[in-house]
Amino acid sequence: MSPPERKIPAPKPNPETTAYWEAAAQGKLLIKHCRNCDRLHFYPRTLCPFCFSDRTEWQEAKGRGTIYTYTVMRREKVPYAIGYVTLDEGVTMMTNIVDCPFDAIKVGQAVKVVFKPSDGGPPVPMCTPA
C-alpha cells in the first residue's frame, strides 16, 4: 500500500501571475528579467525588487538547480519536504522537494523542476533529485 498523497491547494492566479501559471500548465518554469537593471528575480511580480522598475519580462528557466536548505514537515498527516532551491539562473525559489526519500535529501544536491497537479488548479513547480 503506497502512502497517501499530499493534496496541493490550487494557486490563485492574478493579473501578475497568470502567464506564470499558464506556462506551468505547459511544463515550463518562468522567472522575471528586469530590462532596467538586467537582474533576474523570482517570485512572479511586475515590479523589479532591486530597482522597482516595471520594465520586467518573462524568461524561461532551465529548470535545474541545487538545494540551498530544506526541512521535512513530519508532524503533518502526510509528511513533506520543503526548501529553498537556487536555480542555475541564480534566483532562489521556495518549493517542495518530491519523489525521493526524505533521508536522501542533502544541501547542495542537484535537482530539477517537475510539475505536480494541484487540487483543481494549474500544476505547481516542485523539485526532484536530478
Side-chain angles (χ1 to χ4, degrees):
M1 181 173 175
S2 61
E5 198 162 315
R6 183 170 159 250
K7 285 191 175 195
I8 305 300
K12 293 179 173 69
N14 61 48
E16 281 188 307
T17 64
T18 298
Y20 176 83
W21 294 114
E22 288 173 351
Q26 297 172 17
K28 297 177 185 177
L29 178 65
L30 296 182
I31 56 178
K32 280 288 195 128
H33 172 255
C34 177
R35 292 181 290 155
N36 191 56
C37 70
D38 199 32
R39 293 179 75 176
L40 297 169
H41 61 269
F42 185 85
Y43 65 89
R45 55 189 173 248
T46 302
L47 296 179
C48 173
F50 304 108
C51 71
F52 305 110
S53 171
D54 64 354
R55 297 181 59 224
T56 60
E57 61 192 0
W58 293 106
Q59 174 180 316
E60 187 175 349
K62 295 175 192 170
R64 297 195 164 277
T66 56
I67 297 173
Y68 176 75
T69 190
Y70 74 96
T71 191
V72 177
M73 308 301 285
R74 295 184 192 271
R75 289 187 167 191
E76 299 295 319
K77 287 182 182 179
V78 180
Y80 64 96
I82 191 165
Y84 284 98
V85 168
T86 303
L87 298 176
D88 287 353
E89 290 81 6
V91 299
T92 300
M93 66 183 280
M94 184 180 210
T95 186
N96 285 265
I97 302 165
V98 297
D99 300 335
C100 66
F102 298 141
D103 294 339
I105 301 170
K106 305 286 183 232
V107 169
Q109 183 175 18
V111 292
K112 63 182 178 182
V113 172
V114 294
F115 292 87
K116 296 292 185 176
S118 66
D119 194 17
V124 176
M126 299 186 184
C127 288
T128 187

Short mmCIF file of all heavy atoms in Angstrom, two decimals, residues 5-13 21 96 115-126:
data_model
loop_
_atom_site.label_atom_id
_atom_site.label_comp_id
_atom_site.label_asym_id
_atom_site.label_seq_id
_atom_site.Cartn_x
_atom_site.Cartn_y
_atom_site.Cartn_z
N GLU A 5 -1.15 10.51 -0.78
CA GLU A 5 -0.53 11.62 -1.50
C GLU A 5 -1.04 12.94 -0.94
O GLU A 5 -2.22 13.10 -0.67
CB GLU A 5 -0.83 11.51 -2.99
CG GLU A 5 0.12 12.35 -3.81
CD GLU A 5 0.14 11.94 -5.25
OE1 GLU A 5 0.20 10.72 -5.52
OE2 GLU A 5 0.10 12.84 -6.10
N ARG A 6 -0.13 13.88 -0.77
CA ARG A 6 -0.48 15.20 -0.23
C ARG A 6 -1.19 16.02 -1.29
O ARG A 6 -0.74 16.12 -2.42
CB ARG A 6 0.81 15.90 0.20
CG ARG A 6 0.58 17.22 0.84
CD ARG A 6 1.90 17.71 1.45
NE ARG A 6 1.83 19.13 1.61
CZ ARG A 6 2.53 20.01 0.91
NH1 ARG A 6 3.39 19.59 0.01
NH2 ARG A 6 2.39 21.28 1.11
N LYS A 7 -2.33 16.59 -0.93
CA LYS A 7 -3.06 17.46 -1.85
C LYS A 7 -2.47 18.85 -1.80
O LYS A 7 -2.31 19.43 -0.72
CB LYS A 7 -4.55 17.50 -1.51
CG LYS A 7 -5.28 16.26 -1.90
CD LYS A 7 -6.77 16.48 -1.77
CE LYS A 7 -7.49 15.24 -2.30
NZ LYS A 7 -8.89 15.49 -2.53
N ILE A 8 -2.17 19.39 -2.95
CA ILE A 8 -1.61 20.73 -3.06
C ILE A 8 -2.76 21.69 -3.37
O ILE A 8 -3.46 21.51 -4.37
CB ILE A 8 -0.55 20.81 -4.18
CG1 ILE A 8 0.53 19.75 -3.98
CG2 ILE A 8 0.03 22.21 -4.30
CD1 ILE A 8 1.30 19.86 -2.70
N PRO A 9 -2.99 22.69 -2.54
CA PRO A 9 -4.07 23.64 -2.83
C PRO A 9 -3.83 24.34 -4.17
O PRO A 9 -2.69 24.62 -4.54
CB PRO A 9 -4.00 24.65 -1.68
CG PRO A 9 -3.15 24.02 -0.64
CD PRO A 9 -2.28 23.02 -1.31
N ALA A 10 -4.89 24.61 -4.88
CA ALA A 10 -4.79 25.27 -6.17
C ALA A 10 -4.31 26.71 -5.99
O ALA A 10 -4.83 27.43 -5.14
CB ALA A 10 -6.14 25.26 -6.88
N PRO A 11 -3.30 27.12 -6.77
CA PRO A 11 -2.88 28.52 -6.72
C PRO A 11 -4.00 29.42 -7.24
O PRO A 11 -4.85 28.99 -8.02
CB PRO A 11 -1.68 28.58 -7.65
CG PRO A 11 -1.40 27.20 -8.09
CD PRO A 11 -2.53 26.33 -7.68
N LYS A 12 -3.99 30.65 -6.82
CA LYS A 12 -4.99 31.62 -7.27
C LYS A 12 -4.29 32.64 -8.18
O LYS A 12 -3.76 33.64 -7.68
CB LYS A 12 -5.64 32.30 -6.08
CG LYS A 12 -6.48 31.34 -5.26
CD LYS A 12 -7.11 32.06 -4.07
CE LYS A 12 -8.07 31.19 -3.32
NZ LYS A 12 -7.55 30.10 -2.60
N PRO A 13 -4.25 32.37 -9.49
CA PRO A 13 -3.60 33.32 -10.40
C PRO A 13 -4.25 34.70 -10.32
O PRO A 13 -5.45 34.83 -10.09
CB PRO A 13 -3.81 32.70 -11.78
CG PRO A 13 -4.02 31.24 -11.51
CD PRO A 13 -4.75 31.19 -10.19
N TRP A 21 1.40 30.83 -14.44
CA TRP A 21 0.63 29.60 -14.27
C TRP A 21 0.25 28.97 -15.60
O TRP A 21 0.17 27.75 -15.71
CB TRP A 21 -0.59 29.86 -13.38
CG TRP A 21 -0.17 30.20 -11.99
CD1 TRP A 21 -0.34 31.40 -11.36
CD2 TRP A 21 0.53 29.37 -11.07
NE1 TRP A 21 0.22 31.35 -10.10
CE2 TRP A 21 0.77 30.12 -9.90
CE3 TRP A 21 1.00 28.06 -11.12
CZ2 TRP A 21 1.43 29.61 -8.80
CZ3 TRP A 21 1.66 27.54 -10.02
CH2 TRP A 21 1.87 28.30 -8.88
N ASN A 96 8.62 22.56 -2.90
CA ASN A 96 8.58 21.23 -2.29
C ASN A 96 9.64 20.37 -2.97
O ASN A 96 9.90 20.53 -4.16
CB ASN A 96 7.22 20.58 -2.49
CG ASN A 96 6.16 21.16 -1.58
OD1 ASN A 96 5.89 20.64 -0.53
ND2 ASN A 96 5.58 22.26 -2.00
N PHE A 115 6.49 19.24 -12.46
CA PHE A 115 5.22 19.90 -12.20
C PHE A 115 4.23 18.88 -11.66
O PHE A 115 4.00 17.85 -12.29
CB PHE A 115 4.70 20.57 -13.48
CG PHE A 115 5.55 21.72 -13.90
CD1 PHE A 115 6.67 21.53 -14.69
CD2 PHE A 115 5.27 23.01 -13.45
CE1 PHE A 115 7.48 22.59 -15.05
CE2 PHE A 115 6.08 24.07 -13.80
CZ PHE A 115 7.19 23.87 -14.61
N LYS A 116 3.69 19.17 -10.49
CA LYS A 116 2.75 18.28 -9.82
C LYS A 116 1.36 18.91 -9.85
O LYS A 116 1.22 20.12 -9.72
CB LYS A 116 3.17 18.04 -8.37
CG LYS A 116 4.50 17.33 -8.24
CD LYS A 116 4.40 15.91 -8.72
CE LYS A 116 5.69 15.15 -8.49
NZ LYS A 116 5.57 13.76 -8.86
N PRO A 117 0.33 18.09 -10.02
CA PRO A 117 -1.03 18.63 -10.07
C PRO A 117 -1.44 19.27 -8.75
O PRO A 117 -1.01 18.84 -7.68
CB PRO A 117 -1.90 17.41 -10.38
CG PRO A 117 -1.04 16.22 -10.22
CD PRO A 117 0.38 16.65 -10.15
N SER A 118 -2.24 20.30 -8.85
CA SER A 118 -2.82 20.92 -7.65
C SER A 118 -4.28 20.48 -7.57
O SER A 118 -4.81 19.89 -8.50
CB SER A 118 -2.70 22.44 -7.70
OG SER A 118 -3.48 22.98 -8.74
N ASP A 119 -4.89 20.78 -6.47
CA ASP A 119 -6.28 20.38 -6.23
C ASP A 119 -7.24 21.33 -6.97
O ASP A 119 -7.74 22.29 -6.39
CB ASP A 119 -6.55 20.38 -4.73
CG ASP A 119 -7.83 19.67 -4.35
OD1 ASP A 119 -8.36 18.90 -5.17
OD2 ASP A 119 -8.29 19.88 -3.21
N GLY A 120 -7.42 21.07 -8.27
CA GLY A 120 -8.38 21.85 -9.06
C GLY A 120 -7.81 23.09 -9.73
O GLY A 120 -8.57 23.94 -10.18
N GLY A 121 -6.50 23.20 -9.82
CA GLY A 121 -5.90 24.36 -10.46
C GLY A 121 -4.72 23.96 -11.32
O GLY A 121 -4.55 22.78 -11.65
N PRO A 122 -3.88 24.93 -11.68
CA PRO A 122 -2.74 24.61 -12.53
C PRO A 122 -1.70 23.80 -11.77
O PRO A 122 -1.67 23.81 -10.53
CB PRO A 122 -2.17 25.99 -12.90
CG PRO A 122 -2.65 26.90 -11.84
CD PRO A 122 -3.96 26.35 -11.36
N PRO A 123 -0.84 23.07 -12.49
CA PRO A 123 0.22 22.33 -11.82
C PRO A 123 1.21 23.28 -11.14
O PRO A 123 1.36 24.43 -11.55
CB PRO A 123 0.89 21.55 -12.95
CG PRO A 123 0.48 22.20 -14.20
CD PRO A 123 -0.80 22.93 -13.94
N VAL A 124 1.86 22.76 -10.11
CA VAL A 124 2.77 23.56 -9.29
C VAL A 124 4.19 23.04 -9.49
O VAL A 124 4.42 21.84 -9.41
CB VAL A 124 2.35 23.46 -7.80
CG1 VAL A 124 3.31 24.20 -6.91
CG2 VAL A 124 0.92 23.98 -7.63
N PRO A 125 5.16 23.97 -9.71
CA PRO A 125 6.55 23.51 -9.86
C PRO A 125 7.11 23.05 -8.52
O PRO A 125 6.94 23.71 -7.50
CB PRO A 125 7.28 24.74 -10.38
CG PRO A 125 6.45 25.90 -9.97
CD PRO A 125 5.04 25.41 -9.88
N MET A 126 7.77 21.90 -8.56
CA MET A 126 8.44 21.33 -7.39
C MET A 126 9.77 20.78 -7.88
O MET A 126 10.03 20.80 -9.08
CB MET A 126 7.58 20.24 -6.77
CG MET A 126 6.26 20.74 -6.29
SD MET A 126 5.35 19.46 -5.43
CE MET A 126 3.83 20.34 -5.10
#
